[in-house]
Amino acid sequence: MYAIGVNLDLTNITAGVVNEQGQILSKESIPTLRYRPLSEVVADLAALVKRVAEAADVDLQTEIDHVGIGTYGTIDRRTGTLIYSAQFGFRDVPLLAEVKKHLSLPVYIENDANCYALAESHWGATKGYKNSVIVTLGTTISGGIVINHEVYHGAFFGAGEFGHHVIVMDGEKCECGRRGCWAAYASSTALVRDARIAAIRHPESEMFRMVNGDLRLMSYHIPFEAAKKGDVYALDVVHMFRRYVALGLINIVNILQPDAIAIGGKLRKIGHEFIDGVSALVYEKAFGQNEKAKTEIKLADMGYDAVIIGAAMLKPWKE
Amino acid sequence: MYAIGVNLDLTNITAGVVNEQGQILSKESIPTLRYRPLSEVVADLAALVKRVAEAADVDLQTEIDHVGIGTYGTIDRRTGTLIYSAQFGFRDVPLLAEVKKHLSLPVYIENDANCYALAESHWGATKGYKNSVIVTLGTTISGGIVINHEVYHGAFFGAGEFGHHVIVMDGEKCECGRRGCWAAYASSTALVRDARIAAIRHPESEMFRMVNGDLRLMSYHIPFEAAKKGDVYALDVVHMFRRYVALGLINIVNILQPDAIAIGGKLRKIGHEFIDGVSALVYEKAFGQNEKAKTEIKLADMGYDAVIIGAAMLKPWKE
């Protein structure tokens, strides 16, 4: 049997036929165009599901066990309701009911970071670890928790909001409305903000030169590249960013002490050198870490396909 | 059958015979006198175990299933080794092997906060909740996590170190050697420190008057009592303390989203009014909290006996 995994995000809907080894047989993306009625988004999603099945030459009714959808926000796994999504601007949306109008297969809906965590823990960076965490460092920070090889949802399907734990009380404003959240320091948005501030203060800096004085061109790559060229202001931005990332990870270790934490999201592209620096800080500072007992800090290695693969791995909900 | 639970702490060794309903039939405390060889402490502990069995008129060999010991620090539940305790100044101490020299019964050793969490989740404030957390606010902060009605230990038996998650990066010095930990803001030690600073700055304050100008007499009760009398400086200390406590709880909710958090430790004696104020902040600020989905913030209700009762509830370790 096969399953179809769908990643419904702000920009694209991507669907793929996945086999039982976690391999994608066919895949296609279409734009989400999210500023239109949900019914239209879902109609496109259902048509996409049918197309990828055809492309993989598998029969939707007899060869596909179920469709799994990973998407933003807090999802009620029992009912397939999107309880809350700040990004989509949704509250209590009956997504499953809408999808079922188009598809007569079983459909399961799950938070995308939880799908990511599920896939990485079975096929990827956290494979084989009993308790693991995935943290996605991107424009914001999200995450998923795996305990006893299963996704841990918390009381109301909202566990793992690592980005919104506070590391600096009354600190930088966060998109969630509070202040001092980890996401306000260790996301790409925060890094770009800090790089812009450093560059505008120091027009003599390599960072300023690299954007030709146009701060709109600042990206998360630039402070790292400028730091390699010896820009002291970029070195400071990168150094502080490393501390911010490490601090949140240390907090996760001190609370959950997982066997491993995998870093996903676009900032994983900064690469191993950055993660090694972060890991060193975590090992030095976190409680009870030593050569015999280390929470492994790793790069996630399945990329964006992990959400599709994890969504395809979903099972019927049981309490 | 019965079990004997032991609370081995810095000041006292307390042992009790506990029945299968979590009731203590006999109990006795002796001083730990911890600045002596471990062998002497353990010999006293074993003699105490025998005495409480006699006092309850139960036969140690035929009517006691096991002895459970709750103590400070990170404990290897498999081997009964005290891996690390900052307070006791222990590292890799084979506590179980030492105890077994004196007792021929099965002996299980567990972190005291985990015993506390276990007892409260079966007989106390967090009874009936699938996922719960206990936080002990005392001279420092410790905690235990219950997931699926069982204690969650983390990868190396060190999960639940809530007191050492950072809420103010580079903030107040913590006893653990780092800066900005929750324990450096929301413990009784921190509260007393902040009350002293406010009192010495304001000799006209009610707090200063209550200690007759002798700051050594400051206790965690005083700012609360002075605040009730309208001391504005005490009100400020209490207000900030409430925010510190709430902030750490919000972080726990955003990461773990348990069904309930119970507050234990001596600061629970501040009472319901304080907890209600803290709860209101948690509900307002934590992710995904609303009338339908609230992490309950409660006072632990079993007191110090919870460690004995939880220790008596320990079972043989299985992976």
Side-chain angles (χ1 to χ4, degrees), chain A residues 285-316:
Chain A
K285 304 285 188 185
F287 236 73
Q289 298 280 300
N290 58 53
E291 281 310 312
K292 287 185 291 182
K294 263 189 190 180
T295 293
E296 297 285 335
I297 312 291
K298 315 181 72 174
L299 285 176
D301 55 27
M302 293 175 70
Y304 292 114
D305 284 347
V307 176
I308 296 170
I309 295 167
M313 293 169 66
L314 293 171
K315 294 198 171 72

Coordinates of all heavy atoms in Angstrom, one line a residue, chain A residues 285-316:
Chain A
K285 N 27.0 24.1 28.8 CA 26.2 24.8 29.7 C 25.0 24.0 30.2 O 24.4 24.3 31.2 CB 25.6 26.1 29.0 CG 26.6 27.0 28.5 CD 27.3 27.8 29.6 CE 28.2 28.9 29.1 NZ 28.9 29.6 30.2
A286 N 24.5 23.0 29.4 CA 23.3 22.3 29.8 C 23.6 21.4 31.0 O 24.7 20.9 31.2 CB 22.7 21.5 28.6
F287 N 22.5 21.2 31.8 CA 22.6 20.3 33.0 C 23.0 18.9 32.6 O 22.4 18.3 31.7 CB 21.3 20.3 33.7 CG 21.3 20.8 35.1 CD1 21.6 22.1 35.4 CD2 21.2 19.9 36.1 CE1 21.7 22.5 36.7 CE2 21.3 20.3 37.4 CZ 21.5 21.6 37.7
G288 N 23.9 18.3 33.4 CA 24.2 16.9 33.3 C 24.7 16.4 32.0 O 24.4 15.2 31.6
Q289 N 25.4 17.2 31.2 CA 25.9 16.8 29.9 C 27.4 16.4 30.1 O 28.1 17.2 30.7 CB 25.8 17.9 28.9 CG 24.4 18.3 28.6 CD 23.7 17.3 27.6 OE1 24.1 17.1 26.5 NE2 22.6 16.7 28.1
N290 N 27.8 15.3 29.7 CA 29.2 14.9 29.7 C 29.4 13.9 28.6 O 28.5 13.5 27.8 CB 29.6 14.3 31.1 CG 28.7 13.1 31.5 OD1 28.6 12.2 30.7 ND2 28.1 13.2 32.6
E291 N 30.6 13.3 28.5 CA 31.0 12.5 27.4 C 30.0 11.2 27.4 O 29.7 10.7 26.3 CB 32.4 12.0 27.5 CG 33.4 13.1 27.0 CD 33.0 13.6 25.6 OE1 32.8 12.8 24.7 OE2 33.0 14.9 25.5
K292 N 29.6 10.8 28.5 CA 28.8 9.6 28.6 C 27.3 9.9 28.3 O 26.5 9.0 27.9 CB 28.8 8.9 30.0 CG 30.1 8.2 30.2 CD 30.1 7.4 31.5 CE 30.1 8.4 32.7 NZ 30.1 7.7 34.0
A293 N 26.9 11.1 28.5 CA 25.5 11.5 28.5 C 25.3 12.8 27.8 O 25.4 13.9 28.4 CB 24.9 11.6 29.9
K294 N 25.2 12.8 26.5 CA 25.1 14.0 25.6 C 23.8 13.9 24.8 O 23.5 12.9 24.2 CB 26.2 14.0 24.6 CG 27.4 14.8 25.0 CD 28.3 14.8 23.8 CE 29.7 15.4 24.1 NZ 30.6 15.5 22.9
T295 N 23.1 15.0 24.9 CA 22.0 15.2 23.9 C 22.6 15.6 22.6 O 23.3 16.6 22.5 CB 21.0 16.3 24.4 OG1 20.3 15.8 25.6 CG2 20.0 16.6 23.3
E296 N 22.4 14.7 21.6 CA 23.1 15.0 20.3 C 22.4 16.2 19.6 O 21.1 16.2 19.5 CB 22.9 13.8 19.4 CG 23.7 12.6 19.8 CD 25.2 12.7 19.6 OE1 25.6 13.4 18.8 OE2 25.9 12.0 20.4
I297 N 23.1 17.2 19.1 CA 22.6 18.3 18.4 C 23.0 18.0 16.9 O 24.1 18.0 16.6 CB 23.1 19.6 18.8 CG1 23.1 19.8 20.3 CG2 22.4 20.8 18.1 CD1 21.7 19.9 20.9
K298 N 21.9 17.8 16.0 CA 22.2 17.4 14.7 C 21.5 18.3 13.7 O 20.5 19.0 14.0 CB 21.7 16.0 14.5 CG 22.1 15.0 15.6 CD 21.6 13.6 15.3 CE 22.5 13.0 14.2 NZ 22.1 11.6 14.0
L299 N 21.9 18.2 12.4 CA 21.1 18.9 11.4 C 20.1 17.9 10.9 O 20.4 16.7 10.7 CB 22.0 19.2 10.2 CG 22.9 20.5 10.4 CD1 23.8 20.6 9.2 CD2 22.1 21.7 10.6
A300 N 18.9 18.4 10.8 CA 17.8 17.6 10.1 C 18.3 17.3 8.7 O 19.0 18.1 8.1 CB 16.5 18.3 10.1
D301 N 18.0 16.1 8.2 CA 18.6 15.8 6.9 C 17.6 15.4 5.8 O 17.9 15.0 4.7 CB 19.7 14.8 7.0 CG 19.3 13.5 7.7 OD1 18.1 13.1 7.6 OD2 20.1 12.8 8.3
M302 N 16.3 15.6 6.1 CA 15.3 15.2 5.1 C 14.7 16.4 4.3 O 14.0 16.2 3.3 CB 14.2 14.4 5.7 CG 14.6 13.1 6.2 SD 13.3 12.2 7.1 CE 12.2 11.8 5.8
G303 N 15.0 17.6 4.7 CA 14.5 18.8 4.0 C 13.0 18.9 4.0 O 12.3 18.3 4.9
Y304 N 12.5 19.7 3.1 CA 11.0 20.0 3.1 C 10.2 18.8 2.9 O 9.0 18.7 3.3 CB 10.7 21.1 2.2 CG 11.3 22.5 2.6 CD1 12.3 23.1 1.9 CD2 10.9 23.0 3.8 CE1 12.8 24.3 2.3 CE2 11.4 24.2 4.3 CZ 12.4 24.9 3.5 OH 12.9 26.0 4.0
D305 N 10.7 17.8 2.2 CA 10.0 16.6 1.9 C 9.6 15.9 3.2 O 8.6 15.0 3.2 CB 10.8 15.6 1.0 CG 10.8 16.0 -0.4 OD1 10.1 16.9 -0.8 OD2 11.7 15.5 -1.2
A306 N 10.3 16.1 4.3 CA 10.0 15.4 5.5 C 8.5 15.6 6.0 O 7.9 14.7 6.5 CB 10.9 15.9 6.7
V307 N 7.9 16.8 5.7 CA 6.5 17.1 6.1 C 5.6 16.1 5.3 O 4.7 15.5 5.8 CB 6.1 18.5 5.9 CG1 4.7 18.7 6.2 CG2 7.0 19.4 6.8
I308 N 5.9 16.0 4.0 CA 5.1 15.1 3.1 C 5.2 13.7 3.6 O 4.2 12.9 3.8 CB 5.5 15.2 1.7 CG1 5.3 16.6 1.1 CG2 4.8 14.1 0.8 CD1 5.9 16.8 -0.2
I309 N 6.4 13.3 3.9 CA 6.7 11.9 4.3 C 6.0 11.6 5.7 O 5.4 10.6 5.9 CB 8.2 11.6 4.3 CG1 8.7 11.6 2.8 CG2 8.5 10.2 4.9 CD1 10.2 11.6 2.7
G310 N 6.2 12.6 6.6 CA 5.6 12.4 7.9 C 4.1 12.4 7.8 O 3.4 11.6 8.5
A311 N 3.5 13.3 7.0 CA 2.0 13.3 6.8 C 1.5 11.9 6.3 O 0.5 11.4 6.7 CB 1.6 14.4 5.9
A312 N 2.3 11.3 5.4 CA 1.9 10.0 4.8 C 2.0 8.9 5.9 O 1.4 7.9 5.8 CB 2.8 9.7 3.6
M313 N 2.8 9.2 6.9 CA 3.0 8.2 8.0 C 1.9 8.2 9.1 O 1.9 7.4 10.0 CB 4.3 8.4 8.7 CG 5.5 8.1 7.8 SD 7.1 8.6 8.6 CE 7.1 7.5 10.0
L314 N 1.0 9.2 9.0 CA 0.0 9.4 10.0 C -0.9 8.2 10.1 O -1.2 7.5 9.1 CB -0.8 10.6 9.8 CG -0.1 12.0 9.9 CD1 -0.9 13.1 9.4 CD2 0.4 12.2 11.3
K315 N -1.4 7.9 11.3 CA -2.3 6.8 11.6 C -3.6 7.3 12.2 O -3.6 8.5 12.6 CB -1.6 5.8 12.6 CG -0.4 5.1 12.0 CD -0.1 3.9 12.9 CE 1.0 3.1 12.2 NZ 2.4 3.7 12.3
P316 N -4.6 6.5 12.2 CA -5.9 6.9 12.9 C -5.6 7.3 14.3 O -4.7 6.7 15.0 CB -6.8 5.7 12.9 CG -6.2 4.8 11.8 CD -4.7 5.1 11.7

